[in-house]
Structures are given as C-alpha cells and as structure tokens.
Amino acid sequence: MIGEETMAEAAQRGTAVPDEEALVIFQNQWDVYRKFLQHDYLSNGVACSVLQRFLADDIARPFHFIDLACGDASGIAKVMRDAPVESYLGVDLSAPALALAADNLAAVNAPVTLTEADFSTVLQGLEQPADIVWISLSLHHLETDGKLEFMRGVKRALAPQGVFLAYEPTCRDGETRPAYLERFDEICRREWTALTAHEYAEAIHHVRTCDLQETATQWLELGREAGFTSAEELYCSPDDLFRLFLYRH
Ligand SMILES: C[S@@+](CC[C@H](N)C(=O)[O-])C[C@H]1O[C@@H](n2cnc3c(N)ncnc32)[C@H](O)[C@@H]1O
C-alpha cells in the first residue's frame, strides 16, 4: 500500500517502468483510453455526475471512499473535490495509472492513498470500514461466481450505513452476450469517430474477448445474493450499453 508520502515514488515508477515494452503498451492503451474519457464514449463521466448527485442528496455526510480499479481517477477527482470526503483510497494494478491519479487527485481536501493491488482481493486487508465503495468499468472482468464472491467481500468491508456502487456493461434483460456484442459493435463503430480503424479494432477485440457483461436483472440479483439489503439501478447510459447499480449494506 502506498500512502501520501510515497506517491512521488509511484509517480517516479510511472516514468521509469523497467520493461520498456510494458511502458509502450501502457502509453498506447492509455492514449486510446484518454480519447474515451475526452469524448465520454463510455458515459463514465456522466455516471460520475450521477454519483456526485447521489452523494449530495442521499449520503449527505462525510464519508470514507474506496475507488476500485481507479485508473487515472480523472472523473472521480472532480466528484471528490467538492464532496465532504474524509479519506479516498484508490486501487489499481497499473502504477503509471496511479501516478496520473496522484496528479488528478492533488486538489482533494482529504488524505489520499493509492494502492497498487488487485481490486478483487484488496478489501480483505482493510483496516477501516468504508462508507462508499465505487467500481467503474472493471468488475465485468470477473466471471459471474467471481463477481458474487467479490460483492460478498464488499459487503463485509462496508460500514453499517455503507453503500456499494458499480457502473458496468449491462445486457438488456433477455439479451444474450452475442446479441449485446452485436449491438455494441453497431453503435460504437458509428459513434467512436475519434478512434483510428486500428484502435477501434483493438477496442472491440478487447470487448469481445475480455468483457463478461451481466443482464440488468443479474447485476441486481448478484447484489441481493451477496447479502445487500437493497439493489437498484441508478442510471442507464443513453446507448443502453452501461448501467450504474446501487447496493445498500
Ligand atoms: C477501463 S479502466 C477504468 C478506469 C476507471 N475506473 C474509469 O471508470 O475511468 C480499467 C482500469 O482497471 C484496472 N484494472 C484492471 N484489472 C484490475 C485488477 N484486477 N485490479 C485492479 N485494477 C485493475 C486497469 O489498470 C485500468 O486502470
């Protein structure tokens, strides 16, 4: 785990990855991901605004926040800057992403900790219960059983009034993964005009081979099965490819 005093070391690692090929891969992929953020192609910017409203209207008290698979934290940093956050913990496997996150979170008026770790296991060693656990565009990499196990861990890590929010790719009820992927490809091929043909081919290959979407009903049921007292949908992206779910402890 790296605390504030060692963020400079993380930033240093970000510019000095020993394996040059890994750095090139990160830079290429991150340059493409930056385009997604810039144009909000995945609507995760809007999802952060929905989170911001939820924190103000529903939580309305100071909170300890955990951001799993935080990436560069560029969207969430805007939310944290204006919220009564008591602490922010960001977790990601990528040191260069955490170095960018450190910069983006510099204006947050609370202790910020960035941890280079796997989001699916990091909560096991948590010392302090969290009020809010947030994950965006990453939980879908786990199989259904893994998602359930992970959600059980989130429930254990939360304070009694705590909540878990997940913004993830979501099939319509009754829609199979192949049908979702066809719809995804049709929409995104048309909309993601800032990507080169090669970048688009790589992005859709990743979605087709790595992403394990659930239907809206399955996402909700997983939360209930994990022990959350309620599960509800807070937001659906305009293209109906991604949804934000709220689970209460
Ligand atoms: C699509 S980005 C999402 C970043 C951010 N949550 C957002 O919504 O913009 C996925 C991020 O998950 C991270 N990641 C992937 N697998 C992970 C894992 N098992 N544990 C921690 N981070 C992981 C990647 O390094 C990357 O930063």
Side-chain angles (χ1 to χ4, degrees), residues 30 33 37 44 69-71 92-94 117-119 136-138:
W30 204 262
Y33 193 62
L37 295 174
N44 47 335
C70 60
D92 204 284
L93 272 182
S94 162
D118 190 319
F119 75 76
S136 165
L137 301 174
S138 300

Side-chain angles (χ1 to χ4, degrees), residues 36 40-43 170 172 175 179-194 200 204 208 236-242:
F36 283 94
D40 205 20
Y41 282 154
L42 308 172
S43 298
T170 304
R172 293 168 172 157
E175 184 178 49
Y180 173 90
L181 290 172
E182 284 317 300
R183 194 163 62 81
F184 191 107
D185 194 2
E186 195 235 309
I187 293 170
C188 301
R189 194 176 290 279
R190 191 177 61 235
E191 302 288 333
W192 295 359
T193 51
Y200 183 79
I204 196 70
R208 285 186 180 281
C236 177
S237 64
D239 52 22
D240 198 4
L241 292 172
F242 305 93

Side-chain angles (χ1 to χ4, degrees), residues 101-178:
D103 283 347
N104 287 328
L105 292 158
V108 174
N109 190 23
V112 169
T113 304
L114 296 172
T115 299
E116 191 181 330
D118 190 319
F119 75 76
S120 64
T121 52
V122 73
L123 295 178
Q124 288 163 16
L126 205 65
E127 285 160 19
Q128 179 182 30
D131 298 302
I132 321 281
V133 174
W134 163 257
I135 191 163
S136 165
L137 301 174
S138 300
L139 180 51
H140 62 275
H141 288 141
L142 301 184
E143 300 278 353
T144 304
D145 285 352
K147 291 181 182 100
L148 176 60
E149 200 48 42
F150 165 79
M151 285 191 186
R152 287 191 171 124
V154 174
K155 160 110 174 133
R156 281 193 295 272
L158 280 173
Q161 303 298 318
V163 297
F164 169 50
L165 296 111
Y167 180 66
E168 293 295 335
T170 304
C171 303
R172 293 168 172 157
D173 284 340
E175 184 178 49
T176 62
R177 280 200 187 128

